[in-house]
């Protein structure tokens, strides 16, 4: 299933406090682009009856069932990429054609 790292969870929790969205779930979605890569989407939202709901690192995650095939076994992390100045959310997904195994 989809997982959140402790670093990502800390950033998500801080964002809920800063944006006034405390108590809302993190909605995840993904679509395949024409080139085969995956476009990831996330934001705070309310739970809907058709949603899949679970927790990872204390963060409540919701997603529509149609996104499970693309997001299953994905890890959401918050890290500094090589040659980048700032940390950012990154998706580690072996199903993405641009996936590179972490060293």
């Amino acid at each position: 299933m989809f997982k959140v790292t402790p670093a990502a969870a800390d950033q998500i929790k801080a964002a809920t406090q800063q944006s006034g969205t405390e108590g809302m779930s993190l909605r995840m979605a993904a679509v395949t682009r024409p080139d085969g890569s995956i476009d990831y989407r996330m934001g705070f939202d309310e739970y809907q009856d058709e949603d899949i709901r679970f927790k990872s690192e204390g963060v409540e995650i919701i997603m529509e069932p149609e996104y499970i095939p693309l997001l299953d076994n994905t890890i959401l992390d918050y890290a500094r990429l090589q040659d980048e100045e700032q940390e950012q959310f990154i998706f580690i997904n072996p199903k993405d054609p641009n996936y590179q195994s972490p060293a």
Side-chain angles (χ1 to χ4, degrees):
M1 185 42 89
F2 186 89
K3 294 180 184 174
V4 176
T5 66
D10 289 344
Q11 289 300 311
I12 293 164
K13 291 171 187 175
T16 62
Q17 293 172 350
Q18 293 170 0
S19 64
T21 54
E22 291 175 285
M24 295 183 82
S25 301
L26 182 66
R27 180 172 294 280
M28 300 302 309
V31 294
T32 304
R33 295 179 178 146
D35 68 357
S37 65
I38 300 174
D39 182 22
Y40 301 95
R41 300 169 185 182
M42 64 182 184
F44 299 109
D45 199 5
E46 299 289 338
Y47 173 78
Q48 303 295 318
D49 288 338
E50 67 275 2
D51 288 335
I52 304 297
R53 177 172 33 181
F54 58 94
K55 282 193 175 188
S56 179
E57 293 296 328
V59 174
E60 184 167 30
I61 309 291
I62 56 175
M63 64 179 73
E64 294 179 32
E66 69 186 84
Y67 300 120
I68 297 286
L70 282 177
L71 293 172
D72 190 32
N73 296 319
T74 299
I75 298 170
L76 175 61
D77 197 2
Y78 189 78
R80 183 181 320 243
L81 297 177
Q82 189 175 25
D83 300 326
E84 295 288 326
E85 293 184 19
Q86 296 181 347
E87 292 182 316
Q88 61 187 351
F89 286 106
I90 59 170
F91 294 86
I92 303 167
N93 185 349
K95 296 175 189 159
D96 193 319
N98 297 318
Y99 171 78
Q100 294 179 359
S101 179

